[in-house]
Each structure stands twice: as C-alpha cells, then as structure tokens.
Amino acid sequence: MKLLRWGEAGAEKPGMLDEAGAMRDLSSVVGDISGDVLSDKGLAALRALDPATLPMVPEGARIGAPVAGVGKMIAIGLNYADHAAEAGMQVPPEPVVFMKATSSICGPNDATEKPRGSEKLDWEVELAFVIGKRAKYVTKDEALEHVAGYMLCNDVSERGFQTERSGQWVKGKSHDTFAPIGPWLVTRDEVADPQALPMWLSVNGQGMQKGSTATMVYGVAYLVSYLSQFMTLEPGDIITTGTPPGVGMGMKPPRFLNVGDVVELGIEGLGAQRQEIVAA
C-alpha cells in the first residue's frame, strides 16, 4: 500500500494510490496520515478499503510529504562505508546520530532553497522509514514490527554550515526545504527487504549517486533497536539512514548546487523526486 498527502503546503489531505497508480482521496476516511493511522491496526483498516470507491485526487495536485505530525526527524551519518571513505572519515563504531528540524520537511517535488550565504549546497539520496508503533528498548528481532513503512528522502546539506560553522551538524541540515520526503509512504509489507533497494541521484541529468541499501553499515532493524535505547520513538517519527558515495563534497574538485540546478533521485519501489534549486 502506498499512502500520500496532496494539496497546498500546510493544507494537505490524505490519499493513497490505487492499483493503476492513480491518486485517491482518503480525507473522508481519516483525518491525516499520522498517529494511530500508522499503527498496524490503522494500516489494516486502510488496506481493507476498495480504492475504486474513493474520489480521485484532482489532476495536477501538488504532492506533499506523505506523513504528518512528525515529532522528530533523526538522521544517521556516515552509514555507508564507501561514503565514509569519500568523506575522508572512518566508519564509526556506533551510528552517528543527528537531528534535522521538522520545519525542513517538504514535498518530494518542492523547490529546494539555497540559503543566504550558502556556497556548499549538497545532495544525499537516502532511505527513510517511519515509526508506526512506540519503540522503547526494543530488540533487533522485534524492531521491524515498529516500522510503518519506507520512503525516499533527500538529506539536503549545506556543508559549510555543517562542518565549518562550529557546533553540531544540525545547522547544515535544517534549512527550510532540506528534507523532501516521499512521494509515497510504502507500507512495510510491500518492502520484502529494506536492505536490498537500488538507489540513484542525478544533477542536471548527470548521474552522481548510484548505490544500494545493501551496503549500509547499520541496517533498519539495528537502527530502530539502537535508537530506542536512547530515546522513545513515537508514531510518525522519521529516521533517514545515510547515503551512498557520489555527493558533491566528495568530488575532486568538490561540486555544489547553484540556483537553477535540478536534482532528481529515486529508490526502487519507493518512487522518485525532482527539486529545482531556488534562492531563499
């Protein structure tokens, strides 16, 4: 099942894809894609619907972030050995954890703002997942039971803000539009193995990243269990899991994004995104 949210920013309505890939309006069934709707029971109720009985979403409607009410967005750094190497860093002995402000979340095809003073705007295609059931001190074996589903994320980063402005990475990760997610939330029953998903990203039509979640150092189940030892994960929380090699800062010489550039990315089975860079 593929769930989505559609409509103008700040006024999105819930929806789902039917078997033909058409968007259907769920607003007469649930208030939003959040909270209890993300539980196994809530998802089962949506799965039992006949999408053909739901109204079609108007043609050309904007697609928003597929999850509402996000309490926290947690990101994992240096989680691909080959990406750590291009960054000149060692694979960490434990996951590197940082936060992205929830105000950075936007739709998959919304424009990406280049912040004022930015000179090192970068891209990162990532697998993200959404918590569906509260997780506190869960084991790795039971971890995936707490995942509602998976989605595509571009962990947009301003490298100068991230690494040269002192303090933690969050400053380079949290500008408005720095977390395009979606287009869909793909429920976990449709993802046989989250550690076997091809992924790609291009800039102005030129391939930059090509990888697979198979090369993640710390997989989804491990991350749920690990994070739940430090903080309670609540329904709607998003975890984005790191990126394969091919980011701009790793090139020789480095290459960064400018106004007018177009970034496109995708993960097999989870859809694709497109963002044009605009001035903030």
Side-chain angles (χ1 to χ4, degrees):
M1 186 167 58
K2 295 179 175 66
L3 301 176
L4 60 109
R5 297 171 68 245
W6 62 276
E8 295 302 312
E12 293 93 344
K13 297 180 180 180
M16 69 189 309
L17 286 191
D18 64 20
E19 290 185 0
M23 296 192 295
R24 300 282 184 162
D25 182 10
L26 274 174
S27 58
S28 65
V29 181
V30 293
D32 216 333
I33 309 299
S34 62
D36 291 342
V37 173
L38 297 167
S39 69
D40 286 351
K41 183 179 179 180
L43 294 175
L46 295 183
R47 200 173 289 115
L49 296 171
D50 178 2
T53 65
L54 301 171
M56 297 282 286
V57 169
E59 187 174 352
R62 170 185 172 270
I63 300 175
V67 179
V70 179
K72 49 187 174 287
M73 186 169 187
I74 306 166
I76 307 299
L78 302 174
N79 199 24
Y80 287 70
D82 33 12
H83 171 57
E86 76 172 350
M89 300 180 183
Q90 297 293 319
V91 173
E94 293 189 36
V96 172
V97 179
F98 61 94
M99 310 295 275
K100 289 176 75 80
T102 56
S103 55
S104 69
I105 295 171
C106 64
N109 303 314
D110 292 346
T112 294
E113 293 185 0
K114 183 178 182 182
R116 298 174 186 179
S118 167
E119 297 181 352
K120 297 180 179 180
L121 187 63
D122 208 348
W123 57 83
E124 294 190 11
V125 58
E126 302 198 0
L127 170 69
F129 61 91
V130 179
I131 296 298
K133 181 172 71 171
R134 188 174 187 268
K136 182 174 183 178
Y137 295 119
V138 301
T139 67
K140 185 178 176 182
D141 288 342
E142 63 187 356
L144 293 185
E145 299 172 10
H146 297 262
V147 174
Y150 302 91
M151 58 191 179
L152 172 62
C153 175
N154 185 359
D155 177 17
V156 183
S157 308
E158 212 304 329
R159 302 301 186 187
F161 297 177
Q162 178 186 353
T163 62
E164 300 167 17
R165 297 289 296 272
S166 185
Q168 299 182 347
W169 289 2
V170 65
K171 289 186 288 189
K173 298 283 191 172
S174 292
H175 188 82
D176 293 352
T177 73
F178 271 25
I181 54 174
W184 332 121
L185 172 64
V186 182
T187 52
R188 74 171 189 269
D189 59 300
E190 289 198 8
V191 180
D193 184 358
Q195 308 308 147
L197 301 175
M199 57 208 306
W200 60 272
L201 181 144
S202 67
V203 178
N204 300 330
Q206 180 182 358
M208 297 295 179
Q209 291 185 275
K210 186 176 182 180
S212 170
T213 58
T215 62
M216 285 170 60
V217 178
Y218 301 107
V220 173
Y222 183 93
L223 291 173
V224 173
S225 177
Y226 180 84
L227 292 169
S228 77
Q229 314 305 309
F230 300 100
M231 66 191 85
T232 299
L233 304 176
E234 300 284 359
D237 286 351
I238 296 171
I239 295 91
T240 189
T241 60
T243 197
V247 299
M249 72 171 181
M251 296 181 176
K252 300 187 184 339
R255 174 177 174 176
F256 297 112
L257 295 167
N258 291 303
V259 172
D261 286 341
V262 174
V263 179
E264 296 175 281
L265 59 150
I267 296 179
E268 187 173 292
L270 302 186
Q273 299 183 355
R274 181 187 187 276
Q275 296 109 30
E276 181 176 352
I277 310 303
V278 300

